[in-house]
């Protein structure tokens, strides 16, 4: 099924989207670094990190990926899973959930609602699966701008965590 919101088409993703997702991740790292943010995702392009390409490949084969397109051009991606990454110090919810494992958009299209459209699709897919809880974790540094983005999109902060020295925030959204 394809959705269209603000001329944004959201379609299921797959292995053929690995290159586009890596380009978006690489450009997000460069954009953050240009703004002085080297803490969230570091300074190494995602495609050059050890395990980075393999992780995105797994996202497109072992998880449920969605790609946002504008005029046929991939401009965002979201990956859903049934829980948080086992590499993160985040406890399972204790009830069925869907978990946003990745949300990225092409910074050249910032301000068009790509992230919001992808999160709405995640909420819709969560409801469709008969699940009431959608969660996500994000970087909680930098003045909390990313946490505020998720709050504007219907998520409420739950627990904070540290992954080594990386401050994180788990947020939850009831969709049932």
């Amino acid at each position: 099924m394809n959705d269209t919101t603000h001329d944004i088409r959201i379609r299921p993703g797959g292995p053929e989207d690995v290159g586009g997702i890596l380009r978006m991740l690489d450009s997000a790292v460069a954009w953050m670094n240009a703004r002085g943010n080297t803490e969230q995702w570091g300074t190494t392009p995602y495609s050059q990190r050890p395990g980075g390409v393999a992780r995105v490949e797994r996202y497109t084969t072992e998880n449920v990926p969605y790609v946002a397109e504008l005029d046929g051009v991939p401009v965002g991606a979201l990956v859903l899973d049934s829980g948080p990454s086992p590499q993160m110090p985040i406890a399972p919810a204790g009830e069925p959930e869907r978990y946003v494992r990745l949300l990225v958009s092409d910074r050249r299209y910032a301000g068009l609602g790509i992230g919001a459209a992808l999160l709405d699709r995640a909420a819709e897919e969560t409801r469709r699966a008969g699940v009431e809880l959608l969660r996500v974790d994000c970087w909680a540094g930098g003045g909390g701008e990313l946490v505020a983005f998720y709050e504007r999109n219907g998520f409420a902060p739950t627990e904070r965590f540290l992954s080594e020295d990386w401050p994180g925030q788990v947020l939850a959204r009831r969709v049932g």
Side-chain angles (χ1 to χ4, degrees):
M1 175 176 162
N2 296 323
D3 288 343
T4 304
T5 307
H6 300 98
D7 298 326
I8 299 167
R9 178 179 169 260
I10 299 175
R11 62 170 173 78
E16 66 280 4
D17 295 304
V18 168
I21 294 170
L22 286 167
R23 279 189 294 281
M24 284 184 253
L25 288 165
D26 286 350
S27 70
V29 170
W31 177 79
M32 285 185 253
N33 288 182
R35 295 182 64 206
N37 177 350
T38 59
E39 298 172 18
Q40 183 175 347
W41 284 357
T43 58
T44 303
Y46 202 89
S47 63
Q48 295 175 21
R49 290 183 192 171
V53 172
R55 178 176 292 129
V56 173
E57 288 171 346
R58 282 192 310 276
Y59 281 160
T60 65
T61 58
E62 297 175 11
N63 301 115
V64 183
Y66 294 95
V67 174
E69 293 181 338
L70 189 59
D71 297 325
V73 176
V75 295
L78 177 136
V79 174
L80 276 179
D81 199 355
S82 60
S85 168
Q87 286 78 38
M88 297 299 278
I90 300 167
E95 67 179 274
E97 68 177 312
R98 291 297 179 267
Y99 206 94
V100 176
R101 293 284 293 275
L102 173 71
L103 176 64
V104 64
S105 63
D106 186 324
R107 298 307 309 164
R108 294 175 297 173
Y109 299 91
L112 297 180
I114 295 162
L118 284 163
L119 289 171
D120 285 346
R121 178 63 178 262
E124 176 187 322
E125 294 300 327
T126 300
R127 265 191 302 279
R128 186 174 292 143
V131 176
E132 295 182 4
L133 179 62
L134 177 62
R135 292 197 308 161
V136 63
D137 64 78
C138 69
W139 184 59
E145 295 169 359
L146 192 52
V147 172
F149 164 79
Y150 284 108
E151 289 177 314
R152 287 191 306 273
N153 283 281
F155 288 81
T158 58
E159 71 249 25
R160 292 185 71 110
F161 65 91
L162 273 176
S163 179
E164 297 179 15
D165 60 352
W166 191 87
Q169 175 71 58
V170 178
L171 299 101
R173 178 176 170 185
R174 289 279 168 193
V175 300

